[in-house]
Amino acid sequence: MIHLHDVAILAAGAEAAGRGASPLHWHEVPREAIAAVHADLGHRLRPERAERRLANGLRFLRFELDGRTVASTWIAERQGRYLDEFNWLAPIADGECWVRDVFVTPSMRGRRLFARVVATLAHGLERPMHRVWSDVDWDN
């Protein structure tokens, strides 16, 4: 069963994303540690969903601030935006990435960490991104 809900599509250019945002440190999470990182942040992800995302080329990243994990996200860089609900890849242009499920630990919410995640990805990946895409629940 697929549940439909309102979604907002966000796009931030690299030039705007970093203004006033302190960079976070990011680390790619190995497959065997993904569930633990989700649990540490107070978030759950079904193992089969994580496996489908990995099989479709997504990477799972965790973000640290002052040595503490404060956020995580899935990132699609070259292969396109993977839509779990439809098992479909939406194309993205070279130099762009798409983040999925940015999750900020509850104790750190309200501190603009989403913007910091975007700025970190725009400037801190192996190759610079000129645009970072995301989608969020409209009421989030």
Side-chain angles (χ1 to χ4, degrees):
M1 176 185 300
I2 296 174
H3 296 280
L4 300 177
H5 53 277
D6 293 331
V7 171
I9 305 296
L10 310 174
E15 70 285 346
R19 272 187 246 160
S22 300
L24 300 172
H25 299 284
W26 67 270
H27 306 276
E28 187 161 358
V29 178
R31 170 177 266 137
E32 62 275 3
I34 291 172
V37 171
H38 272 280
D40 286 347
L41 290 169
H43 191 245
R44 293 182 318 146
L45 180 73
R46 293 189 321 268
E48 62 273 9
R49 180 168 271 192
E51 287 301 320
R52 282 195 311 269
R53 289 178 179 183
L54 292 167
N56 280 285
L58 275 72
R59 298 164 49 197
F60 183 65
L61 308 178
R62 69 180 175 87
F63 296 83
E64 290 182 352
L65 186 62
D66 300 325
R68 186 172 134 220
T69 300
V70 295
S72 67
T73 194
W74 289 87
I75 180 172
E77 291 175 81
R78 295 178 175 92
Q79 71 287 354
R81 171 23 175 120
Y82 174 62
L83 300 163
D84 291 327
E85 299 83 1
F86 304 106
N87 193 28
W88 181 64
L89 286 173
I92 54 177
D94 191 43
E96 298 183 346
C97 68
W98 199 300
V99 295
R100 165 91 193 225
D101 297 343
V102 175
F103 186 81
V104 174
T105 188
S107 66
M108 295 298 291
R109 291 181 184 161
R111 299 178 190 199
R112 302 193 44 84
L113 283 177
F114 183 91
R116 292 180 185 180
V117 165
V118 169
T120 299
L121 293 173
H123 301 288
L125 291 174
E126 291 85 7
R127 57 193 190 108
M129 297 290 146
H130 65 268
R131 182 163 289 122
V132 178
W133 294 89
S134 185
D135 53 292
V136 297
D137 288 340
W138 186 255
D139 61 353
N140 187 351

